[in-house]
Amino acid sequence: MTAPSAARPRLHIALVEDDPLVADSLGDFLGREEYQVHPCPSGAALRALLSRAPVDLILLDLGLPDEDGFALAAQIRAQSPVPIIMLTGRGADVDRIVGLELGADDYVVKPFNPRELLARIKAVTRRAQAAPPPPPIPTAAPPQKGYRFAGWTLDLALRRLVQPNGAIADLSTTEFELLTVLVESHGEVLSRQEILRRCGRTSDAVFERSIDVTILRLRRKIEANPQQPAFIRTERGIGYLFATQPTPIG
């Protein structure tokens, strides 16, 4: 006689939803599907949960009463790779693009079929569990042209950013171009439109919103504390400022 197989561990889902009727209904449905659901009526409740227990997935309603859901998603992604599925009544392309650029793994527009959400949860958690470990990060040779700031090196010739420990930072082309514009304009406050112009891009609503997303991603990669940035600072109502004095190379 073969021994019975061990029960599959229940995945822990944080459900960030301020509407108690929606939270109860969705929580009951997912509970019947063998998920452990922890309701969080606010961003503060989610932070409290994450501080004391790991979760396998976050279902994040963007329409929270205490803060902007996009900003909350960016904060989570800056601290953890936990999968995030955004739930929202906003179906505009620009909102969907911003959500995915901020690091969300999926974006579901209300009203939705619970079975469709369940399928998306399974797909996202499968991808997260199957993700390979990151490859070793190569070290960099000395740059010929660029800038140094606070131990970082922006290599313009080879188009790369070198961390203080000598490893090469993983920047996209857009992130590198935006950082270069900011570093070369250090001490000058640049509007979103001016940043796009200096990057050689057309200014429109989608691209201007993408500046904010790229800034958030850069801060996650170069700031010791992305919530209190030392390098890329926000000048409210105006734009962005690279506040550290760089040293030119070459």
Short mmCIF file of all heavy atoms in Angstrom, two decimals, residues 82-143:
data_model
loop_
_atom_site.label_atom_id
_atom_site.label_comp_id
_atom_site.label_asym_id
_atom_site.label_seq_id
_atom_site.Cartn_x
_atom_site.Cartn_y
_atom_site.Cartn_z
N VAL A 82 7.39 39.79 -4.50
CA VAL A 82 6.10 39.10 -4.38
C VAL A 82 5.21 39.46 -5.56
O VAL A 82 5.10 40.62 -5.94
CB VAL A 82 5.43 39.45 -3.03
CG1 VAL A 82 5.17 40.93 -2.92
CG2 VAL A 82 4.14 38.67 -2.87
N PRO A 83 4.55 38.48 -6.18
CA PRO A 83 3.66 38.78 -7.32
C PRO A 83 2.50 39.69 -6.90
O PRO A 83 1.95 39.57 -5.81
CB PRO A 83 3.15 37.40 -7.74
CG PRO A 83 4.17 36.43 -7.25
CD PRO A 83 4.69 37.02 -5.97
N ILE A 84 2.15 40.60 -7.81
CA ILE A 84 1.06 41.55 -7.57
C ILE A 84 0.09 41.50 -8.75
O ILE A 84 0.50 41.61 -9.91
CB ILE A 84 1.59 43.00 -7.44
CG1 ILE A 84 2.57 43.12 -6.27
CG2 ILE A 84 0.42 43.98 -7.25
CD1 ILE A 84 3.27 44.47 -6.21
N ILE A 85 -1.19 41.31 -8.45
CA ILE A 85 -2.25 41.45 -9.45
C ILE A 85 -3.08 42.66 -9.06
O ILE A 85 -3.64 42.70 -7.96
CB ILE A 85 -3.14 40.20 -9.54
CG1 ILE A 85 -2.32 38.98 -9.99
CG2 ILE A 85 -4.29 40.44 -10.51
CD1 ILE A 85 -3.14 37.71 -10.10
N MET A 86 -3.14 43.66 -9.93
CA MET A 86 -3.92 44.86 -9.65
C MET A 86 -5.38 44.65 -10.03
O MET A 86 -5.68 44.10 -11.10
CB MET A 86 -3.35 46.05 -10.43
CG MET A 86 -1.99 46.50 -9.94
SD MET A 86 -1.39 47.93 -10.88
CE MET A 86 0.05 48.37 -9.91
N LEU A 87 -6.28 45.10 -9.16
CA LEU A 87 -7.72 45.05 -9.40
C LEU A 87 -8.22 46.49 -9.45
O LEU A 87 -7.99 47.26 -8.53
CB LEU A 87 -8.44 44.30 -8.28
CG LEU A 87 -7.89 42.91 -7.91
CD1 LEU A 87 -8.69 42.33 -6.74
CD2 LEU A 87 -7.96 41.97 -9.10
N THR A 88 -8.90 46.85 -10.53
CA THR A 88 -9.29 48.25 -10.67
C THR A 88 -10.47 48.41 -11.60
O THR A 88 -10.71 47.58 -12.47
CB THR A 88 -8.11 49.08 -11.21
OG1 THR A 88 -8.52 50.43 -11.38
CG2 THR A 88 -7.62 48.54 -12.54
N GLY A 89 -11.19 49.49 -11.39
CA GLY A 89 -12.26 49.85 -12.31
C GLY A 89 -11.78 50.73 -13.44
O GLY A 89 -12.54 51.08 -14.33
N ARG A 90 -10.47 51.10 -13.40
CA ARG A 90 -9.90 51.96 -14.43
C ARG A 90 -9.31 51.10 -15.54
O ARG A 90 -8.32 50.41 -15.33
CB ARG A 90 -8.82 52.86 -13.85
CG ARG A 90 -9.37 53.86 -12.85
CD ARG A 90 -8.28 54.76 -12.31
NE ARG A 90 -7.51 54.12 -11.26
CZ ARG A 90 -6.56 54.73 -10.56
NH1 ARG A 90 -6.24 55.98 -10.81
NH2 ARG A 90 -5.93 54.08 -9.61
N GLY A 91 -9.92 51.13 -16.71
CA GLY A 91 -9.46 50.28 -17.79
C GLY A 91 -8.71 51.00 -18.90
O GLY A 91 -8.43 50.43 -19.94
N ALA A 92 -8.37 52.28 -18.66
CA ALA A 92 -7.67 53.05 -19.70
C ALA A 92 -6.29 52.44 -19.96
O ALA A 92 -5.64 51.92 -19.05
CB ALA A 92 -7.53 54.50 -19.26
N ASP A 93 -5.85 52.53 -21.21
CA ASP A 93 -4.56 51.95 -21.59
C ASP A 93 -3.43 52.52 -20.76
O ASP A 93 -2.52 51.80 -20.35
CB ASP A 93 -4.28 52.20 -23.08
CG ASP A 93 -5.13 51.31 -23.97
OD1 ASP A 93 -5.72 50.34 -23.45
OD2 ASP A 93 -5.22 51.59 -25.18
N VAL A 94 -3.47 53.86 -20.49
CA VAL A 94 -2.36 54.46 -19.77
C VAL A 94 -2.27 53.91 -18.36
O VAL A 94 -1.17 53.67 -17.84
CB VAL A 94 -2.50 56.01 -19.76
CG1 VAL A 94 -3.74 56.45 -19.01
CG2 VAL A 94 -1.25 56.63 -19.14
N ASP A 95 -3.41 53.65 -17.70
CA ASP A 95 -3.39 53.07 -16.36
C ASP A 95 -2.86 51.65 -16.38
O ASP A 95 -2.08 51.24 -15.51
CB ASP A 95 -4.79 53.09 -15.75
CG ASP A 95 -5.27 54.49 -15.42
OD1 ASP A 95 -4.45 55.30 -14.95
OD2 ASP A 95 -6.45 54.79 -15.64
N ARG A 96 -3.27 50.88 -17.38
CA ARG A 96 -2.79 49.51 -17.49
C ARG A 96 -1.27 49.49 -17.74
O ARG A 96 -0.54 48.71 -17.12
CB ARG A 96 -3.51 48.80 -18.65
CG ARG A 96 -3.25 47.31 -18.73
CD ARG A 96 -3.90 46.74 -20.00
NE ARG A 96 -5.32 47.05 -20.06
CZ ARG A 96 -6.26 46.25 -19.58
NH1 ARG A 96 -5.91 45.12 -18.98
NH2 ARG A 96 -7.52 46.57 -19.68
N ILE A 97 -0.80 50.37 -18.61
CA ILE A 97 0.63 50.42 -18.91
C ILE A 97 1.42 50.82 -17.67
O ILE A 97 2.45 50.21 -17.35
CB ILE A 97 0.89 51.42 -20.06
CG1 ILE A 97 0.32 50.87 -21.37
CG2 ILE A 97 2.39 51.70 -20.22
CD1 ILE A 97 0.28 51.89 -22.49
N VAL A 98 0.95 51.84 -16.96
CA VAL A 98 1.65 52.28 -15.76
C VAL A 98 1.69 51.17 -14.72
O VAL A 98 2.72 50.92 -14.09
CB VAL A 98 0.99 53.56 -15.18
CG1 VAL A 98 1.53 53.87 -13.79
CG2 VAL A 98 1.23 54.73 -16.12
N GLY A 99 0.57 50.49 -14.53
CA GLY A 99 0.52 49.40 -13.56
C GLY A 99 1.53 48.31 -13.86
O GLY A 99 2.27 47.85 -12.97
N LEU A 100 1.61 47.90 -15.10
CA LEU A 100 2.56 46.85 -15.48
C LEU A 100 4.00 47.35 -15.41
O LEU A 100 4.90 46.62 -15.01
CB LEU A 100 2.23 46.33 -16.88
CG LEU A 100 0.88 45.63 -17.01
CD1 LEU A 100 0.59 45.29 -18.47
CD2 LEU A 100 0.83 44.36 -16.16
N GLU A 101 4.22 48.62 -15.78
CA GLU A 101 5.57 49.18 -15.70
C GLU A 101 6.04 49.29 -14.26
O GLU A 101 7.24 49.19 -13.97
CB GLU A 101 5.61 50.57 -16.36
CG GLU A 101 5.62 50.52 -17.87
CD GLU A 101 6.95 50.07 -18.44
OE1 GLU A 101 7.96 50.22 -17.74
OE2 GLU A 101 6.98 49.54 -19.55
N LEU A 102 5.11 49.50 -13.33
CA LEU A 102 5.47 49.59 -11.92
C LEU A 102 5.86 48.24 -11.33
O LEU A 102 6.34 48.19 -10.20
CB LEU A 102 4.31 50.19 -11.12
CG LEU A 102 4.14 51.71 -11.24
CD1 LEU A 102 2.85 52.15 -10.57
CD2 LEU A 102 5.33 52.43 -10.61
N GLY A 103 5.63 47.18 -12.08
CA GLY A 103 6.04 45.87 -11.59
C GLY A 103 4.91 44.92 -11.30
O GLY A 103 5.14 43.81 -10.80
N ALA A 104 3.66 45.32 -11.60
CA ALA A 104 2.55 44.40 -11.42
C ALA A 104 2.69 43.22 -12.38
O ALA A 104 3.17 43.37 -13.51
CB ALA A 104 1.22 45.10 -11.65
N ASP A 105 2.28 42.05 -11.94
CA ASP A 105 2.37 40.85 -12.77
C ASP A 105 1.13 40.66 -13.64
O ASP A 105 1.18 39.96 -14.64
CB ASP A 105 2.57 39.62 -11.88
CG ASP A 105 3.88 39.70 -11.12
OD1 ASP A 105 3.91 40.30 -10.04
OD2 ASP A 105 4.89 39.15 -11.62
N ASP A 106 0.02 41.29 -13.24
CA ASP A 106 -1.19 41.25 -14.06
C ASP A 106 -2.09 42.39 -13.63
O ASP A 106 -1.88 43.00 -12.57
CB ASP A 106 -1.91 39.90 -13.90
CG ASP A 106 -2.73 39.53 -15.13
OD1 ASP A 106 -3.00 40.43 -15.97
OD2 ASP A 106 -3.11 38.35 -15.27
N TYR A 107 -3.09 42.69 -14.46
CA TYR A 107 -3.95 43.86 -14.26
C TYR A 107 -5.35 43.44 -14.67
O TYR A 107 -5.60 43.12 -15.84
CB TYR A 107 -3.42 45.00 -15.13
CG TYR A 107 -4.05 46.35 -14.94
CD1 TYR A 107 -3.40 47.33 -14.19
CD2 TYR A 107 -5.27 46.69 -15.52
CE1 TYR A 107 -3.95 48.60 -14.02
CE2 TYR A 107 -5.82 47.94 -15.36
CZ TYR A 107 -5.16 48.89 -14.62
OH TYR A 107 -5.70 50.15 -14.45
N VAL A 108 -6.28 43.39 -13.73
CA VAL A 108 -7.64 42.89 -13.98
C VAL A 108 -8.63 44.02 -13.77
O VAL A 108 -8.64 44.67 -12.71
CB VAL A 108 -7.97 41.71 -13.05
CG1 VAL A 108 -9.38 41.20 -13.34
CG2 VAL A 108 -6.96 40.58 -13.23
N VAL A 109 -9.47 44.28 -14.77
CA VAL A 109 -10.43 45.38 -14.71
C VAL A 109 -11.76 44.87 -14.17
O VAL A 109 -12.27 43.83 -14.60
CB VAL A 109 -10.63 46.00 -16.11
CG1 VAL A 109 -11.67 47.12 -16.05
CG2 VAL A 109 -9.30 46.55 -16.64
N LYS A 110 -12.32 45.61 -13.19
CA LYS A 110 -13.64 45.29 -12.65
C LYS A 110 -14.74 45.76 -13.60
O LYS A 110 -14.55 46.76 -14.28
CB LYS A 110 -13.83 45.98 -11.29
CG LYS A 110 -12.85 45.56 -10.21
CD LYS A 110 -13.10 46.36 -8.96
CE LYS A 110 -12.16 45.99 -7.83
NZ LYS A 110 -12.41 46.80 -6.61
N PRO A 111 -15.88 45.07 -13.62
CA PRO A 111 -16.17 43.81 -12.93
C PRO A 111 -15.51 42.64 -13.66
O PRO A 111 -15.37 42.68 -14.89
CB PRO A 111 -17.69 43.72 -13.00
CG PRO A 111 -18.04 44.46 -14.25
CD PRO A 111 -17.03 45.58 -14.38
N PHE A 112 -15.12 41.62 -12.91
CA PHE A 112 -14.46 40.47 -13.53
C PHE A 112 -15.15 39.18 -13.06
O PHE A 112 -15.81 39.15 -12.01
CB PHE A 112 -12.98 40.43 -13.17
CG PHE A 112 -12.70 40.53 -11.68
CD1 PHE A 112 -12.83 39.43 -10.86
CD2 PHE A 112 -12.32 41.75 -11.12
CE1 PHE A 112 -12.59 39.52 -9.50
CE2 PHE A 112 -12.08 41.85 -9.76
CZ PHE A 112 -12.21 40.73 -8.95
N ASN A 113 -14.98 38.15 -13.85
CA ASN A 113 -15.46 36.82 -13.47
C ASN A 113 -14.48 36.21 -12.47
O ASN A 113 -13.29 36.14 -12.76
CB ASN A 113 -15.57 35.94 -14.72
CG ASN A 113 -16.20 34.60 -14.45
OD1 ASN A 113 -15.90 33.95 -13.45
ND2 ASN A 113 -17.08 34.17 -15.34
N PRO A 114 -14.94 35.79 -11.30
CA PRO A 114 -14.01 35.20 -10.32
C PRO A 114 -13.21 34.04 -10.88
O PRO A 114 -12.05 33.84 -10.50
CB PRO A 114 -14.93 34.75 -9.18
CG PRO A 114 -16.13 35.64 -9.29
CD PRO A 114 -16.31 35.88 -10.76
N ARG A 115 -13.79 33.30 -11.81
CA ARG A 115 -13.06 32.17 -12.40
C ARG A 115 -11.90 32.66 -13.26
O ARG A 115 -10.85 32.02 -13.33
CB ARG A 115 -14.02 31.31 -13.25
CG ARG A 115 -14.97 30.47 -12.42
CD ARG A 115 -14.22 29.33 -11.77
NE ARG A 115 -15.03 28.65 -10.76
CZ ARG A 115 -14.57 27.70 -9.96
NH1 ARG A 115 -13.30 27.35 -10.05
NH2 ARG A 115 -15.35 27.13 -9.07
N GLU A 116 -12.11 33.79 -13.94
CA GLU A 116 -11.00 34.36 -14.72
C GLU A 116 -9.89 34.83 -13.78
O GLU A 116 -8.70 34.59 -14.04
CB GLU A 116 -11.47 35.54 -15.56
CG GLU A 116 -10.34 36.19 -16.35
CD GLU A 116 -10.75 37.46 -17.07
OE1 GLU A 116 -11.95 37.80 -17.04
OE2 GLU A 116 -9.86 38.12 -17.64
N LEU A 117 -10.27 35.47 -12.68
CA LEU A 117 -9.26 35.90 -11.71
C LEU A 117 -8.51 34.70 -11.16
O LEU A 117 -7.27 34.74 -11.01
CB LEU A 117 -9.91 36.68 -10.57
CG LEU A 117 -8.97 37.12 -9.46
CD1 LEU A 117 -7.90 38.07 -9.99
CD2 LEU A 117 -9.74 37.78 -8.32
N LEU A 118 -9.23 33.62 -10.87
CA LEU A 118 -8.58 32.41 -10.36
C LEU A 118 -7.55 31.89 -11.37
O LEU A 118 -6.44 31.50 -10.99
CB LEU A 118 -9.63 31.34 -10.07
CG LEU A 118 -9.11 29.98 -9.59
CD1 LEU A 118 -8.38 30.12 -8.27
CD2 LEU A 118 -10.26 28.98 -9.47
N ALA A 119 -7.91 31.88 -12.66
CA ALA A 119 -6.98 31.42 -13.68
C ALA A 119 -5.74 32.30 -13.74
O ALA A 119 -4.61 31.82 -13.90
CB ALA A 119 -7.67 31.38 -15.05
N ARG A 120 -5.93 33.61 -13.58
CA ARG A 120 -4.79 34.53 -13.60
C ARG A 120 -3.92 34.34 -12.36
O ARG A 120 -2.68 34.42 -12.45
CB ARG A 120 -5.30 35.97 -13.69
CG ARG A 120 -5.93 36.31 -15.05
CD ARG A 120 -6.53 37.71 -15.02
NE ARG A 120 -7.13 38.05 -16.30
CZ ARG A 120 -6.51 38.70 -17.28
NH1 ARG A 120 -5.24 39.05 -17.13
NH2 ARG A 120 -7.12 38.99 -18.40
N ILE A 121 -4.53 34.09 -11.21
CA ILE A 121 -3.76 33.82 -10.00
C ILE A 121 -2.89 32.59 -10.19
O ILE A 121 -1.70 32.58 -9.86
CB ILE A 121 -4.71 33.62 -8.79
CG1 ILE A 121 -5.34 34.96 -8.40
CG2 ILE A 121 -3.97 33.02 -7.60
CD1 ILE A 121 -6.43 34.84 -7.34
N LYS A 122 -3.47 31.52 -10.75
CA LYS A 122 -2.70 30.30 -10.97
C LYS A 122 -1.56 30.52 -11.95
O LYS A 122 -0.45 30.02 -11.76
CB LYS A 122 -3.64 29.19 -11.49
CG LYS A 122 -4.63 28.70 -10.44
CD LYS A 122 -5.53 27.62 -11.01
CE LYS A 122 -6.48 27.08 -9.94
NZ LYS A 122 -7.40 26.05 -10.48
N ALA A 123 -1.82 31.31 -13.00
CA ALA A 123 -0.77 31.57 -13.99
C ALA A 123 0.37 32.38 -13.38
O ALA A 123 1.55 32.08 -13.59
CB ALA A 123 -1.36 32.30 -15.19
N VAL A 124 0.03 33.40 -12.60
CA VAL A 124 1.06 34.25 -12.00
C VAL A 124 1.88 33.48 -10.97
O VAL A 124 3.12 33.59 -10.94
CB VAL A 124 0.41 35.50 -11.35
CG1 VAL A 124 1.40 36.21 -10.44
CG2 VAL A 124 -0.09 36.44 -12.42
N THR A 125 1.23 32.68 -10.14
CA THR A 125 1.98 31.93 -9.13
C THR A 125 2.83 30.83 -9.77
O THR A 125 3.92 30.54 -9.28
CB THR A 125 1.04 31.32 -8.08
OG1 THR A 125 -0.01 30.57 -8.73
CG2 THR A 125 0.40 32.41 -7.24
N ARG A 126 2.35 30.26 -10.88
CA ARG A 126 3.19 29.27 -11.59
C ARG A 126 4.46 29.92 -12.11
O ARG A 126 5.55 29.35 -11.99
CB ARG A 126 2.41 28.65 -12.76
CG ARG A 126 1.53 27.48 -12.41
CD ARG A 126 1.14 26.67 -13.64
NE ARG A 126 0.54 27.49 -14.69
CZ ARG A 126 -0.76 27.70 -14.80
NH1 ARG A 126 -1.60 27.16 -13.93
NH2 ARG A 126 -1.24 28.44 -15.78
N ARG A 127 4.32 31.11 -12.70
CA ARG A 127 5.51 31.80 -13.22
C ARG A 127 6.47 32.15 -12.09
O ARG A 127 7.69 32.03 -12.24
CB ARG A 127 5.09 33.06 -13.96
CG ARG A 127 4.38 32.82 -15.28
CD ARG A 127 4.38 34.06 -16.15
NE ARG A 127 3.68 35.17 -15.53
CZ ARG A 127 2.39 35.43 -15.72
NH1 ARG A 127 1.65 34.64 -16.47
NH2 ARG A 127 1.83 36.48 -15.13
N ALA A 128 5.92 32.58 -10.96
CA ALA A 128 6.78 32.96 -9.84
C ALA A 128 7.54 31.76 -9.29
O ALA A 128 8.73 31.86 -8.96
CB ALA A 128 5.94 33.60 -8.73
N GLN A 129 6.88 30.62 -9.22
CA GLN A 129 7.53 29.43 -8.68
C GLN A 129 8.54 28.84 -9.65
O GLN A 129 9.51 28.21 -9.23
CB GLN A 129 6.46 28.39 -8.31
CG GLN A 129 5.58 28.81 -7.15
CD GLN A 129 4.34 27.93 -6.99
OE1 GLN A 129 4.04 27.11 -7.85
NE2 GLN A 129 3.63 28.12 -5.90
N ALA A 130 8.31 29.06 -10.96
CA ALA A 130 9.21 28.48 -11.96
C ALA A 130 10.35 29.41 -12.35
O ALA A 130 11.23 29.03 -13.12
CB ALA A 130 8.42 28.13 -13.23
N ALA A 131 10.36 30.64 -11.82
CA ALA A 131 11.39 31.61 -12.21
C ALA A 131 12.77 31.10 -11.79
O ALA A 131 12.96 30.71 -10.64
CB ALA A 131 11.12 32.96 -11.57
N PRO A 132 13.76 31.10 -12.70
CA PRO A 132 15.11 30.64 -12.35
C PRO A 132 15.83 31.66 -11.49
O PRO A 132 15.47 32.84 -11.48
CB PRO A 132 15.79 30.51 -13.72
CG PRO A 132 15.09 31.53 -14.57
CD PRO A 132 13.66 31.54 -14.10
N PRO A 133 16.84 31.23 -10.74
CA PRO A 133 17.61 32.19 -9.96
C PRO A 133 18.36 33.15 -10.88
O PRO A 133 18.71 32.79 -12.01
CB PRO A 133 18.59 31.31 -9.17
CG PRO A 133 18.69 30.05 -9.97
CD PRO A 133 17.34 29.86 -10.61
N PRO A 134 18.60 34.38 -10.44
CA PRO A 134 19.30 35.35 -11.30
C PRO A 134 20.72 34.89 -11.59
O PRO A 134 21.38 34.29 -10.73
CB PRO A 134 19.29 36.63 -10.47
CG PRO A 134 19.12 36.18 -9.06
CD PRO A 134 18.29 34.93 -9.12
N PRO A 135 21.23 35.15 -12.80
CA PRO A 135 22.60 34.75 -13.14
C PRO A 135 23.61 35.59 -12.39
O PRO A 135 23.30 36.69 -11.90
CB PRO A 135 22.68 35.02 -14.65
CG PRO A 135 21.68 36.12 -14.87
CD PRO A 135 20.57 35.86 -13.90
N PRO A 136 24.86 35.12 -12.28
CA PRO A 136 25.90 35.93 -11.63
C PRO A 136 26.08 37.26 -12.35
O PRO A 136 26.01 37.34 -13.58
CB PRO A 136 27.16 35.06 -11.77
CG PRO A 136 26.65 33.67 -11.98
CD PRO A 136 25.36 33.81 -12.72
N ILE A 137 26.29 38.31 -11.59
CA ILE A 137 26.45 39.66 -12.17
C ILE A 137 27.91 39.89 -12.50
O ILE A 137 28.78 39.81 -11.63
CB ILE A 137 25.96 40.73 -11.19
CG1 ILE A 137 24.48 40.49 -10.86
CG2 ILE A 137 26.16 42.13 -11.76
CD1 ILE A 137 23.92 41.45 -9.84
N PRO A 138 28.25 40.18 -13.78
CA PRO A 138 29.65 40.40 -14.13
C PRO A 138 30.18 41.71 -13.57
O PRO A 138 29.42 42.66 -13.35
CB PRO A 138 29.61 40.44 -15.66
CG PRO A 138 28.22 40.90 -15.99
CD PRO A 138 27.33 40.32 -14.92
N THR A 139 31.46 41.75 -13.34
CA THR A 139 32.09 43.00 -12.90
C THR A 139 32.52 43.80 -14.12
O THR A 139 32.64 43.28 -15.23
CB THR A 139 33.30 42.72 -12.00
OG1 THR A 139 34.22 41.89 -12.73
CG2 THR A 139 32.87 42.02 -10.73
N ALA A 140 32.75 45.09 -13.92
CA ALA A 140 33.00 46.00 -15.04
C ALA A 140 34.45 46.45 -15.09
O ALA A 140 35.13 46.57 -14.08
CB ALA A 140 32.09 47.21 -14.91
N ALA A 141 34.93 46.72 -16.33
CA ALA A 141 36.25 47.31 -16.54
C ALA A 141 36.17 48.81 -16.31
O ALA A 141 35.10 49.40 -16.34
CB ALA A 141 36.72 47.02 -17.96
N PRO A 142 37.31 49.50 -16.07
CA PRO A 142 37.30 50.94 -15.84
C PRO A 142 36.72 51.68 -17.04
O PRO A 142 37.00 51.35 -18.19
CB PRO A 142 38.78 51.28 -15.64
CG PRO A 142 39.41 50.00 -15.21
CD PRO A 142 38.64 48.92 -15.90
N PRO A 143 35.90 52.71 -16.80
CA PRO A 143 35.28 53.45 -17.90
C PRO A 143 36.26 54.41 -18.55
O PRO A 143 37.24 54.84 -17.95
CB PRO A 143 34.15 54.20 -17.20
CG PRO A 143 34.68 54.44 -15.83
CD PRO A 143 35.48 53.21 -15.49
#
